[in-house]
Amino acid sequence: MKQENQTSLNEFILVGFSHLAELQILLFLLFLVIYLVTIIGNVLIILLVKYSHSLQTPMYFFLVNLSFLEICYTTSVVPQMLIHLLTEHKTISKAGCAAQMYVFTILGLTECCLLAAMAYDRYVAICSPLHYTVIMNRQVCSQLAAASWITGITVEETQTTWIFSLPFCGSNHIQHFFCDIPPLVKLACTDTFKNEIVILAVSVLFIMGPFLLIILSYIQIGYTILKLPSAEGRRKAFSTCSSHLMVVTVFYGTALFTYLRPKSSHTPGSDKMIALMYTVVTPVLNPIIYTLRNKEVKGAFKKTMVRIFSTQSSKM
């Protein structure tokens, strides 16, 4: 019977927010608005950087990569969650679950590496300003971005394939709103100790590794800023990296709490709330942070709007 259950388990049920039946429509509208704002905000940043000559710098090259990643990242989870909020049958095929995990984990790890690359860019800009354009040339930026994507794809493709090689039997209810690693591994009907060790090792190496590089970069950045003679110089130097620092804090705060906390502290309710932070809230915060706290982006946006309205007026 156990073998029969293992072979017949070809789909899962995403429990999601089923316990909040009376709030399904409200949650749908809330998450839909946030999703649309996320997409529009990140698309605007991509277009703004593309068509603004003043933003053709390494920092904004990485920001375009980050915005594109955030669009894909949130789209891998939110649309399906929205559909399930409106339907009674909240099923997902095993292949669909694997595909979602592939995309989500690859993009998540790529973002870790990309944030580290952005921290290195800020380190060079503040600590070696005279050599910045030489060190952070177009080729180096492209290599750092490519390395981030290659690392994410290679590591997470291997890990996700291994997870889905596990036998799943018994209950097919995933206590989550998408196919995340911890709740899915719980459904395996075999000893998952080795898998959990590998997941922890990947988290420590490829999440904590970039995070450590970011910390070391900002320690050196902080030391350099404190040595600047004027308060105005210190303020300007800090303002160039404050947006990135805020994004790192939000992203890594939730990521570290999710994947490095003890197994005993995992509960379906807490897992869902934390997951909402990094799948829904963080992607919408990034464009807000980079537009509201960045004078260059705000200035480029105003110039673009003026240019558009001037063109429209001349046509009329």
Side-chain angles (χ1 to χ4, degrees), residues 16 19 175-176 186 261 265-274:
H19 62 294
Q175 297 294 329
H176 218 307
K186 288 180 180 179
R261 61 191 171 129
S265 66
H266 283 266
T267 64
S270 64
D271 288 347
K272 292 173 192 175
M273 291 303 297
I274 296 168

Side-chain angles (χ1 to χ4, degrees), residues 58-70 106-122 136 140-152 206-207 210-211 213-214 244 247-248 251-252 286 290:
M59 182 173 73
Y60 296 108
F61 168 80
F62 290 119
L63 181 57
V64 166
N65 275 267
L66 182 64
S67 293
F68 173 74
L69 187 148
E70 293 288 18
I106 285 172
L107 293 171
L109 183 53
T110 301
E111 182 162 355
C112 291
C113 299
L114 196 59
L115 289 173
M118 295 174 76
Y120 176 69
D121 170 72
R122 293 298 83 205
M136 297 303 295
V140 170
C141 293
S142 299
Q143 289 173 345
L144 287 172
S148 299
W149 285 95
I150 291 171
T151 301
F206 293 101
I207 295 179
F211 186 53
L213 292 176
I214 293 171
H244 175 257
V247 170
V248 167
F251 178 80
Y252 267 101
N286 288 355
Y290 272 102

